[in-house]
Amino acid sequence: MLKAGPLLTVTQLESGYNHLQILWDVSLKVLKGEMVALLGRNGAGKTTTLRTIAGLLKPKAGQIDFMDHRIDGLPAHEISRMRISFVPENLHLFPAMSVMENLLLGAYGIRDPGRTKGSLAFVCDTFPALARRRKQLAGSLSGGERRMLALGRGLMSQPELLLVDEPSLGLAPKMATTVFDTLSKLKLAGLTILLVEQNVHTTLQISDRSYVLEQGRIVMEGRSKELMKDDHVCKTYLGSGDD
Amino acid sequence: MLGPTALWDLFVTGIFRGGMYALMAVGLSLVFGVMNIPHFAHGEFYMLGAYTAYFAFAVFHFPAFMAILSAASMGLLAGVLVEKLVFYPLRRRHPEEWVLNTFLVTVGLSFVMQNAALAVWGGQYRGITQYWQGAIQLGSGMHISLDRAISFIVAIFCIAVLWWFLDFTRTGKAIRAVAQDETGALLVGIDLDQIHTITFGLSSLMAAIAGASLLSLNPAYPSVGLAPLYKSWYVVVLVGLGNMAGAIPGGFLVGLLETFSYYAFGSGWQDVISLSILILILLLKPAGLFGNRGISLSKA
């Protein structure tokens, strides 16, 4: 009945920790089916943006809308049940539980066993390594496996929007490639993704659009392909190291 | 010097004593592990259970099991109320320095509950001679009262049910998830407020059951909960704070330790011996016997 608007709209968001304000006037939009990236240096406010959208931080001002609902200020567990999954940089797995228990807790908000089974089949299909290790304790997995488990757990709730923070951090290059391939596949399968990544080069290649954050403000936005050719982006984020 | 029968008798006595310690300690451990509260009012729920069972059994003439069951319901109700009225508002308004603040709050709660009991029921002992008549005879010729035996079975049963609950139910898994990673639990959609209320209610329920089923051994009076509180802290510190599984063998270990030191050195020495052993263990293993994590002083 309504014209399809953006899935997620962040308007003039201000946020931070206690008395330390980190985000100033951040506005962004994510359309359904898009992969959008947030770029910026350490401390630019990328993680703070994701944490605020996920409800782990209360915004000081501004508005966040998701699928016609205003979600700013809601507690994190309610936002999770509205089908926004946040896969944080430091994962927050349940270390003394098995891989399977971690995955099933990912579907905590789903009370329909049939749907949970469907999610589980999808996740095991996406991450065969997790299926092989389903009885192992999450705390005993390798770094790469843990990251996959966190992604898998995030997908168990069948989210509309996936917020991913630094999915390739600390991974061997081959493992990082696997993670990026998986994200691309998920996007093709119709998932909407808001991605924060330190690997700017790859991120610009796989994402549709990007926002550049500097000192808590959005300084640029555009199609990722165009940003790749932009002087400022090239100099600041692609200048050294990548390629 | 100790024949096999005497040894066996001591062993059985220690195990029977340990069952209740384990039941109390598991609740304490649950509250610390899930809510990060060093709970010093745990004994007052034991006291509440003892009083409830006394009135149900001796005044209203309920059957014994019904008396214990009403104590359990009272414990659950009181636990839920205390969580909603005390810890929930505190968490909302001032989550900083949580461990220290909740420690002070539970100490205060303990005073308030004890004095409320004193005001309402007076200081006299309210006990019963027994729930069930009779005794069972062990192979060696030692008799153990049926009350003692049944209270042991009740303790084991409660612990088993709790374990089943934590392992196999959706809410139980959520409780363990909160204990392992609070942020992770929030991110998968677990309502922390709800889990905290359930956890505190369950822990108080178990303390009340302990107080009720030991009523014939320890009559109800306002400060009856102090001794069980100290014992359960002893167990929890011995095995390592927040280690729920460790609280069970820990309870039995303390029961055995006390029984043997009582036998070897007399009743005046039993606390001295067991506390000296605790100090020794903490000197060698500061995180406790089975402890692997330190105490985290912040909630985040």
Side-chain angles (χ1 to χ4, degrees):
Chain A
M1 65 186 177
L2 282 166
K3 213 180 132 228
L7 191 65
L8 177 81
T9 313
V10 174
T11 318
Q12 298 181 315
L13 184 69
E14 319 238 317
S15 182
Y17 300 84
N18 294 325
H19 300 293
L20 178 66
Q21 185 163 347
I22 294 180
L23 298 183
W24 307 82
D25 195 22
V26 167
S27 297
L28 57 87
K29 278 189 171 70
V30 182
L31 306 181
K32 194 166 167 45
E34 260 191 323
M35 188 189 300
V36 174
L38 282 177
L39 307 175
R41 286 211 180 84
N42 276 339
K46 300 171 309 235
T47 299
T48 308
T49 308
L50 293 192
R51 285 176 66 92
T52 310
I53 296 170
L56 293 175
L57 283 174
K58 294 256 174 295
K60 295 180 191 299
Q63 187 170 338
I64 306 171
D65 294 280
F66 176 70
M67 300 206 300
D68 302 326
H69 297 282
R70 192 168 170 176
I71 62 164
D72 51 283
L74 288 184
H77 71 271
E78 278 178 35
I79 290 177
S80 153
R81 289 186 196 185
M82 296 177 84
R83 301 170 76 181
I84 296 182
S85 258
F86 176 35
V87 181
E89 182 192 328
N90 36 6
L91 309 181
H92 292 289
L93 295 171
F94 308 120
M97 291 192 196
S98 68
V99 167
M100 185 56 93
E101 281 182 301
N102 268 275
L103 289 178
L104 289 176
L105 272 166
Y108 183 80
I110 302 180
R111 281 165 171 277
D112 170 5
R115 265 180 68 199
T116 305
K117 235 176 221 165
S119 292
L120 193 62
F122 174 75
V123 169
C124 289
D125 203 43
T126 315
F127 304 103
L130 292 183
R132 282 195 299 275
R133 297 189 180 275
R134 62 185 173 278
K135 287 185 179 156
Q136 206 171 318
L137 291 186
S140 70
L141 297 177
S142 73
E145 290 164 343
R146 265 182 235 196
R147 218 151 266 279
M148 284 199 269
L149 178 55
L151 268 175
R153 189 181 70 179
L155 292 172
M156 282 296 293
S157 56
Q158 304 182 351
E160 284 288 332
L161 171 66
L162 188 67
L163 311 171
V164 196
D165 197 0
E166 306 275 14
S168 79
L169 191 79
L171 296 187
K174 202 179 155 197
M175 194 54 118
T177 311
T178 313
V179 167
F180 288 127
D181 286 349
T182 308
L183 288 176
S184 300
K185 266 186 224 153
L186 290 170
K187 178 191 140 47
L188 281 179
L191 187 64
T192 311
I193 300 172
L194 179 56
L195 173 68
V196 163
E197 207 2 268
Q198 27 121 29
N199 186 338
V200 174
H201 194 82
T202 315
T203 307
L204 285 175
Q205 279 180 339
I206 65 169
S207 61
D208 300 307
R209 289 189 303 120
S210 298
Y211 291 87
V212 179
L213 270 169
E214 279 175 13
Q215 289 168 10
R217 295 171 196 274
I218 289 185
V219 293
M220 286 180 91
E221 59 172 290
R223 308 215 61 84
S224 299
K225 287 199 176 63
E226 285 155 25
L227 285 179
M228 246 190 282
K229 295 178 206 133
D230 182 271
D231 259 6
H232 178 72
V233 173
C234 280
K235 244 191 257 164
T236 322
Y237 301 104
L238 298 173
S240 61
D242 291 292
D243 273 21
Chain B
M1 55 172 213
L2 252 180
T5 33
L7 207 64
W8 167 249
D9 286 351
L10 282 179
F11 180 75
V12 171
T13 314
I15 291 290
F16 271 47
R17 200 189 261 231
M20 273 300 152
Y21 291 174
L23 183 60
M24 285 292 286
V26 162
L28 203 60
S29 200
L30 191 66
V31 165
F32 187 81
V34 175
M35 306 171 74
N36 241 342
I37 296 175
H39 187 11
F40 276 82
H42 199 47
E44 276 51 60
F45 294 95
Y46 175 105
M47 178 265 290
L48 205 61
Y51 271 112
T52 310
Y54 169 79
F55 287 116
F57 186 75
V59 178
F60 297 110
H61 303 292
F62 281 25
F65 273 119
M66 287 300 292
I68 296 177
L69 220 59
S70 24
S73 329
M74 181 60 89
L76 180 67
L77 187 72
V80 167
L81 270 177
V82 164
E83 205 285 320
K84 283 280 178 226
L85 295 176
V86 179
F87 299 114
Y88 171 75
L90 182 63
R91 198 163 58 240
R92 268 293 139 91
R93 294 171 55 180
H94 194 81
E96 295 83 23
E97 294 173 61
W98 175 259
V99 175
L100 180 65
N101 286 338
T102 52
F103 161 68
L104 294 172
V105 164
T106 58
V107 172
L109 190 66
S110 162
F111 278 115
V112 169
M113 286 175 75
Q114 275 182 40
N115 283 292
L118 187 66
V120 177
W121 296 309
Q124 71 267 42
Y125 284 24
R126 292 173 197 266
I128 57 171
T129 44
Q130 58 199 5
Y131 282 121
W132 292 278
Q133 276 190 348
I136 48 170
Q137 196 181 353
L138 299 172
S140 59
M142 185 178 75
H143 289 269
I144 283 192
S145 73
L146 203 54
D147 268 26
R148 184 106 227 190
I150 289 178
S151 75
F152 176 74
I153 293 165
V154 166
I156 299 301
F157 175 76
C158 289
I159 292 172
V161 169
L162 177 73
W163 233 250
W164 171 84
F165 176 75
L166 290 177
D167 248 1
F168 294 108
T169 65
R170 180 173 177 269
T171 309
K173 284 178 185 179
I175 290 177
R176 285 193 294 141
V178 173
Q180 289 177 34
D181 196 308
E182 215 176 81
T183 305
L186 274 174
L187 291 179
V188 300
I190 294 171
D191 181 352
L192 283 185
D193 293 336
Q194 186 196 14
I195 292 302
H196 281 203
T197 306
I198 294 172
T199 301
F200 202 81
L202 277 180
S203 153
S204 309
L205 175 146
M206 288 187 292
I209 288 181
S213 48
L214 290 180
L215 186 61
S216 61
L217 298 153
N218 303 313
Y221 57 96
S223 60
V224 66
L226 284 180
L229 171 78
Y230 296 147
K231 299 290 185 205
S232 41
W233 266 105
Y234 181 107
V235 172
V236 166
V237 171
L238 182 76
V239 298
L241 275 167
N243 183 339
M244 271 187 268
I248 300 166
F252 290 115
L253 201 65
V254 171
L256 287 170
L257 206 66
E258 284 191 353
T259 313
F260 278 92
S261 52
Y262 176 84
Y263 175 83
F265 303 99
S267 66
W269 287 91
Q270 84 180 34
D271 287 347
V272 178
I273 301 294
S274 37
L275 286 171
S276 308
I277 291 175
L278 178 66
I279 291 170
L280 206 66
I281 287 173
L282 290 186
L283 281 175
L284 298 172
K285 286 207 73 180
L289 272 186
F290 316 121
N292 43 17
R293 63 171 215 191
I295 310 164
S296 72
L297 283 174
S298 71
K299 211 169 183 307

